[in-house]
Amino acid sequence: MKKLIIKEYLKNLIVAIVASILLSATLCFVFFFLNNSVDNDMPQYLVRNIIPHISRTQTGISLNEEGKERLQHHNVWLQVLNESGEVVFEENSKGDLPNEYTMLELTNVVMNSNRLGNYTVFMSDIPEMAGYAILLGCDSKLVSKYTFRFSGETAVVLFGCILVVSIVTLLVVLCASYVFSKKITNPVGDIIDNIDKVQKGERIEYHTSEDNKLFANVFESIEKLEAILKQNDILRAKWIVNISHDIKSPLSTIKGYSELLYDQEYEYSSDEIRTYAEQMLKSEERIRELVEDLKMSNSLIEGKITPTLESVDIVEFVGRCISNASAFYVHDKNVQLENNCKSKSEIDVKLMERCITNIICNAFVHNDTDVEVRISVTESENNTYIRISDNGKGMSEEDLSKVFERYYRGNGSGKTEGTGLGLAIAKEIVLLHGGQIDVTSNPGKGTVFTIRLLNHAN
């Protein structure tokens, strides 16, 4: 988009410069030169170049060979007049010239083209031959004379031209700036209106025009943002329904056992009270986990959590994570840890433990009880890789593309309880450590999560 704006600016600048030059030149000509005479004393070099080749002899006037060649070369005729206006010498003419001129005739033919046939005539005296003058003529199609009248001093005209150029340039720049600003401000106004509509949840309108084409990418981004926000609203509404159900279930349990214990008509045994209390505590723990997930997710997104790093043995650390997740698998053979390295990484133990435990637990929560989880720890020159794979149901392409989105619960989750934040939290924790997490999956063949962390020397 920046390139398009620069291109548009340069186009307007070039048009403004060309317009300024043409308009200034036209106005200067009209105001200062049109129908104005210019006193011009420019040397008539065509005449003066031939004068050195003319000489006076006892028999009259002569022109040397070099002079004749010059006349022939330039297709110019020559006449020499005496003080009475009579032609005393003529060269390279076609016989269509007068033999005598009056003062008025000389004035007319010299001042204007085509006053003597189709010729333009130049006149000059001969310094070495007092009383004689020469006329030099050529085809007026090749050389013509134009008369300009010049009023005032040169400085006045120069000042006037500068003033005209300045005024014209200013006006052209203002017009170009206005045109360019309209091309920018009009679509920007539309962009602001559309953003305001997106904020209010209203439908945006995109009108195709030449101006809007300059910001086509911005309008497309706004449309994509609108679609994403609508999708997020749908996911959020769905998540609210799910989270409400997940909170309502343990609350119903707590309320039910509380009402039983409150019943004064029945005396409960110690074992019954203990059983009821245990179920109430589990329900309270479930609610607390939901609240903690929400707090953790928001804190990670807003950057409010600073990791406390310490160097740990990754294999030993993963082993502790497996133990923490033991409540979710039936027996030890369900989880296998491959120890292929002794790398160390600087991690926040508490956060990373939650990340890996979430992924391990997910494998058992969303698959059958006989699912097997294999965890391997490998290292390269600069990185440590933790791969957590299972042979469970796998995920569809849709679930795979949204697996790390907040509030998203896959289509295969069924009635499984959860906030839909577990894997989103796991990803944010890995990113907080400067690492990377990827996932691959095939329906019916299982899922593989790969976590990359920076390793350190032992």
Side-chain angles (χ1 to χ4, degrees), residues 44-201:
Q44 298 175 0
Y45 65 93
L46 290 175
V47 177
R48 295 183 180 179
N49 282 342
I50 204 66
I51 289 176
H53 302 286
I54 301 173
S55 62
R56 187 174 183 180
T57 65
Q58 294 180 351
T59 58
I61 305 298
S62 68
L63 179 68
N64 63 24
E65 292 299 324
E66 185 177 347
K68 293 178 181 180
E69 289 178 1
R70 283 177 179 266
L71 294 178
Q72 290 287 341
H73 178 74
H74 294 290
N75 194 23
V76 175
W77 53 258
L78 170 69
Q79 284 185 325
V80 180
L81 310 181
N82 62 18
E83 58 186 3
S84 300
E86 297 175 354
V87 177
V88 297
F89 179 82
E90 187 173 289
E91 181 70 32
N92 204 35
S93 68
K94 298 179 180 180
D96 55 349
L97 302 175
N99 293 322
E100 186 177 358
Y101 298 88
T102 65
M103 185 61 67
L104 181 59
E105 289 173 338
L106 285 175
T107 301
N108 285 331
V109 300
V110 170
M111 292 297 295
N112 303 286
S113 300
N114 297 323
R115 286 299 179 92
L116 181 61
N118 294 319
Y119 299 114
T120 299
V121 180
F122 297 89
M123 181 178 180
S124 177
D125 63 338
I126 304 176
E128 303 298 331
M129 299 168 60
Y132 288 87
I134 64 170
L135 293 181
L136 201 67
C138 63
D139 191 338
S140 60
K141 293 180 180 178
L142 301 177
V143 179
S144 296
K145 288 185 178 182
Y146 297 92
T147 301
F148 297 91
R149 284 187 293 275
F150 175 68
S151 302
E153 298 293 334
T154 303
V156 175
V157 175
L158 181 60
F159 176 78
C161 289
I162 293 175
L163 182 62
V164 169
V165 171
S166 300
I167 294 174
V168 169
T169 301
L170 178 61
L171 292 176
V172 171
V173 168
L174 288 176
C175 292
S177 300
Y178 174 76
V179 172
F180 180 71
S181 63
K182 290 290 287 182
K183 289 183 178 181
I184 299 297
T185 55
N186 283 347
V188 168
D190 292 339
I191 290 171
I192 294 173
D193 290 341
N194 282 337
I195 292 175
D196 187 53
K197 289 180 179 179
V198 169
Q199 182 182 5
K200 295 177 181 179

Side-chain angles (χ1 to χ4, degrees), residues 5 10 33 78 139 149 166 176 193 209 260-261 274 284 288 296 308 319 327 351 358 397 405 455:
I5 294 176
L10 291 177
F33 297 104
L78 170 69
D139 191 338
R149 284 187 293 275
S166 300
D193 290 341
S209 67
L260 287 175
L261 293 174
R274 188 177 296 105
E284 182 276 335
R288 186 176 63 82
M296 171 70 75
T308 303
L351 290 177
N358 277 354
E397 290 186 6
E405 290 184 8
N455 61 15

Side-chain angles (χ1 to χ4, degrees), residues 313-325 329 337 375:
D313 184 306
I314 291 298
V315 174
E316 181 182 341
F317 167 74
V318 172
R320 293 204 305 270
C321 294
I322 293 173
S323 298
N324 293 338
Y329 54 88
L337 173 61
I375 304 174

